[in-house]
Amino acid sequence: MIVAATAALMLTVGPAEAGSWTTHWTGPRGGVYEGSGSCANGACQSSGTFTGPLGRVWRHNGNSHQVAPGEWAGEHSIVGPGGNTWQNSWTWHAAGK
């Protein structure tokens, strides 16, 4: 869920657009997400916290950068309630690139 939220935020804001954002939403079962991010000079960063309905907390942070026109790469990490950490890297290419 956090990975999807982060990806949606980064793609919705448009990494090429300079600026910053914050978001806050409540899930259907009472979980709450709060996050923020910023973009400048072809690079974006985001972070946030998801508190589940039972009070368990997940934290994430990530970044992305443009590697070529229509191509992006990034890294992402999530720390779960027990301290376990998940990390991944990704690439994205616009259709036709």
Side-chain angles (χ1 to χ4, degrees):
M1 175 188 275
I2 294 173
V3 173
T6 302
L9 282 174
M10 295 183 102
L11 292 175
T12 301
V13 171
E17 297 177 26
S20 62
W21 68 92
T22 60
T23 187
H24 175 96
W25 50 262
T26 301
R29 297 181 186 209
V32 176
Y33 175 81
E34 293 182 321
S36 63
S38 62
C39 295
N41 301 318
C44 295
Q45 298 179 10
S46 68
S47 62
T49 301
F50 176 76
T51 304
L54 301 177
R56 296 178 62 140
V57 177
W58 299 76
R59 290 176 169 63
H60 80 86
N61 63 63
N63 65 71
S64 64
H65 57 278
Q66 189 171 22
V67 295
E71 297 181 24
W72 294 84
E75 296 80 35
H76 188 258
S77 68
I78 299 172
V79 178
N84 293 323
T85 300
W86 294 266
Q87 297 179 329
N88 72 308
S89 59
W90 54 269
T91 58
W92 180 82
H93 304 272
K97 298 285 179 187

